[in-house]
Amino acid sequence: LYVRGVLSAPVMKWQIHTLNGIILAVSLISAIGAGWIIISFLLFKAVRTFRHQLILGLAISDFWMAINFMSSTAVNLSGHIISGKAEKPFCSFNGFMTQLFVVQTDYWVFTIALCTFLILANYKHQASWIQEHRIILWCLPWGLSTAWAAMGLGITGYGDIGAWCWFTSDRTRLLVNFIPRWIIIITILGLYIRLYQLIYKAHTRFQSFDNNPPGSLEPETESVSSTRRIGRPNESMGMSKGSDMERSGVTNETRYMRTPTPWLKKMAYQMMSYPLVYMFIWTIPTSIRIYQCVQHKPAPFWIATIDKGCIVVQGFADAIIYGINEASLLAWRDTLSR
């Protein structure tokens, strides 16, 4: 962990300016995306469900992470390179904030996935507990990420890696950040695969009900219970379509059988997109870390630029996969139409 080597920091002046200009633009886009989620939560009651409260925590982390990247790139572009001795205090602070929010976004994404699974999979006691102790869910990402950032500052310190300050060893970043991140991504993928199976099973039950006359099909009690649960997920997750069902004017049994099925398939595909997007974003940075750690030489400049851009673009990606939903779009559409 003490091995140092800034393998990803450019040395030529034009490379420094090009890299910092690109990262500044990408971080600005991420800040706008995260800010959009925050403003939507503050303005519209429709997006203040329990799930959206967790997404708000993720958006706040994304926003400040983007601001942190913007500050370091602005310093570099102003001519005061953050690797200089005069900027050492700023570099240490910038590295601390980078580690704080990069790790914290991982914890928020995992928290959202875990809570979604517990509620939709009908773990009643656990789901009730997390909704009654929301303050703990907010404290855990902040507490754990602060501890990690403080340990990094005290043990190895932070240095310039080109556009911001972070661990100056690829081996350190690989062990401390990237391996835990992939463990979280794989865990989230497993949770959503299990939820997809439950939703697909519920969708199959709905089709069976449609294709058989009343009374001709008697599914097992457990299957009916899980089907009804998935068919009407807790509104605190911001996923309920209860209003559509109420307008259908049919009996409760018919609601379970027919109305939700197209939406269930859409929800299943949407949930599976979450971990796949994160896998796509972090594949290039992880590959670069492994390459530079093994080869002990820097990757080509433009590949290293894409590497850093993937890290910075996370705020915009979160705004796309979490912030854009039917409730928020409808609220903005109504507001703008008025």
Side-chain angles (χ1 to χ4, degrees):
L1 293 180
Y2 288 94
V3 177
R4 295 182 180 271
V6 188
L7 298 178
S8 55
V11 294
M12 299 180 66
K13 189 173 182 179
W14 74 268
Q15 291 180 338
I16 295 175
H17 279 77
T18 301
L19 172 62
N20 281 270
I22 293 175
I23 297 303
L24 179 61
V26 177
S27 59
L28 178 60
I29 294 174
S30 290
I32 293 174
W36 183 78
I37 298 179
I38 297 172
I39 294 174
S40 298
F41 184 87
L42 296 176
L43 291 182
F44 308 121
K45 293 183 179 180
V47 294
R48 294 180 187 174
T49 62
F50 172 66
R51 182 170 183 268
H52 287 102
Q53 291 178 9
L54 301 179
I55 295 175
L56 175 65
L58 174 63
I60 292 174
S61 297
D62 284 332
F63 179 79
W64 286 113
M65 180 169 65
I67 295 298
N68 186 58
F69 290 142
M70 291 171 64
S71 66
S72 59
T73 54
V75 171
N76 278 334
L77 292 174
S78 68
H80 303 280
I81 306 300
I82 57 178
S83 59
K85 292 184 179 180
E87 305 297 333
K88 179 62 178 176
F90 172 80
C91 185
S92 296
F93 174 77
N94 183 259
F96 177 87
M97 300 300 287
T98 300
Q99 180 66 12
L100 172 69
F101 290 116
V102 169
V103 173
Q104 190 176 127
T105 55
D106 293 338
Y107 295 149
W108 278 118
V109 170
F110 176 73
T111 301
I112 294 171
L114 181 61
C115 291
T116 303
F117 176 80
L118 292 176
I119 292 178
L120 292 186
N122 201 24
Y123 288 89
K124 296 181 180 178
H125 296 293
Q126 295 87 341
S128 177
W129 189 90
I130 60 176
Q131 293 185 74
E132 293 173 357
H133 299 81
R134 305 181 186 192
I135 186 65
I136 296 179
L137 296 181
W138 271 78
C139 291
L140 283 176
W142 281 93
L144 293 174
S145 59
T146 301
W148 273 112
M151 290 174 59
L153 181 63
I155 296 177
T156 63
Y158 302 108
D160 178 25
I161 65 167
W164 64 82
C165 292
W166 208 3
F167 295 116
T168 56
S169 167
D170 283 291
R171 181 180 301 177
T172 303
R173 275 184 275 167
L174 186 64
L175 295 176
V176 175
N177 289 333
F178 288 86
I179 292 179
R181 176 172 293 112
W182 278 101
I183 293 175
I184 290 176
I185 292 175
I186 293 173
T187 302
I188 293 174
L189 184 62
L191 291 175
Y192 282 135
I193 287 176
R194 177 54 181 161
L195 272 180
Y196 180 87
Q197 292 173 344
L198 293 175
I199 293 174
Y200 181 81
K201 185 177 181 180
H203 179 69
T204 304
R205 287 291 177 184
F206 293 143
Q207 289 182 328
S208 298
F209 282 135
D210 285 338
N211 295 331
N212 290 272
S216 64
L217 179 65
E218 290 213 17
E220 299 177 0
T221 304
E222 181 182 357
S223 298
V224 173
S225 176
S226 63
T227 300
R228 292 179 179 180
R229 183 68 184 98
I230 296 297
R232 295 199 307 172
N234 195 308
E235 291 187 3
S236 64
M237 298 306 291
M239 295 181 174
S240 177
K241 290 288 185 181
S243 58
D244 294 337
M245 298 177 190
E246 291 170 2
R247 288 194 297 267
S248 63
V250 294
T251 63
N252 289 341
E253 250 345 276
T254 308
R255 290 179 198 169
Y256 298 139
M257 295 177 192
R258 301 180 184 276
T259 308
T261 51
W263 172 71
L264 285 173
K265 292 179 66 176
K266 179 181 178 181
M267 184 177 71
Y269 292 137
Q270 183 181 11
M271 287 191 305
M272 289 303 298
S273 69
Y274 297 160
L276 295 179
V277 169
Y278 283 108
M279 293 176 68
F280 176 78
I281 290 177
W282 290 104
T283 294
I284 293 179
T286 305
S287 301
I288 298 300
R289 297 289 78 71
I290 295 175
Y291 171 81
Q292 295 184 163
C293 187
V294 172
Q295 296 296 325
H296 300 288
K297 62 180 182 180
F301 170 72
W302 290 110
I303 296 180
T305 302
I306 296 174
D307 160 31
K308 292 181 173 63
C310 290
I311 298 175
V312 178
V313 81
Q314 184 171 328
F316 177 74
D318 288 336
I320 297 296
I321 63 178
Y322 288 109
I324 297 180
N325 54 68
E326 294 180 5
S328 61
L329 291 178
L330 181 61
W332 278 107
R333 191 181 301 116
D334 292 341
T335 300
L336 294 177
S337 64
R338 289 196 300 267

